[in-house]
Amino acid sequence: MRGNIAQLMQQAQKMQENMQRAQEELAGIEVTGNAGGGMVSVTLTGRMECRKVRIDPSVISDPEMAEDLVAAAINDAVNKVNEASQEKMGSATAGMQLPPGMKLPF
């Protein structure tokens, strides 16, 4: 029984180290979300910090459309960061199942 607990603790420690490494890697990535066929693009880091917003000058003449395209580009970028996060954290947990409702990163 003690051997099982010790092994479980080692696995948990390794998973924690892998998750920390994955979070550091994720913080260093940048993704770009696009909308309107590239008329608007938003670049976010893995920590959801906005690095760059590019808006085609032709969009500026229609403020409502510009607002919608910026929102869509942000949502696209957020979805890409979330996908990258799930991928990195999934590999960090090495297939260990987490309890239902528990999401990564914490």
Side-chain angles (χ1 to χ4, degrees):
M1 183 76 166
R2 286 186 184 198
N4 290 341
I5 292 174
Q7 184 179 11
L8 184 61
M9 292 297 288
Q10 287 176 343
Q11 287 177 337
Q13 184 177 5
K14 183 173 177 146
M15 184 176 77
Q16 183 178 13
E17 290 169 1
N18 289 343
M19 287 178 56
Q20 185 175 3
R21 190 175 310 113
Q23 287 175 337
E24 290 169 2
E25 289 174 10
L26 188 61
I29 70 166
E30 288 189 357
V31 299
T32 301
N34 295 294
M39 292 170 54
V40 174
S41 65
V42 174
T43 301
L44 298 179
T45 67
R47 290 187 177 158
M48 302 287 187
E49 296 169 343
C50 186
R51 291 285 185 215
K52 182 177 175 183
V53 176
R54 190 193 64 72
I55 302 173
D56 188 287
S58 66
V59 175
I60 304 293
S61 62
D62 186 348
E64 279 186 38
M65 182 173 74
E67 291 169 357
D68 290 344
L69 291 175
V70 169
I74 291 170
N75 289 334
D76 186 38
V78 166
N79 288 334
K80 289 178 179 180
V81 170
N82 287 335
E83 287 172 11
S85 177
Q86 288 177 349
E87 183 180 313
K88 291 248 185 236
M89 291 302 165
S91 64
T93 59
M96 290 183 70
Q97 296 296 317
L98 296 174
M102 189 173 210
K103 294 183 177 183
L104 296 173
F106 299 107

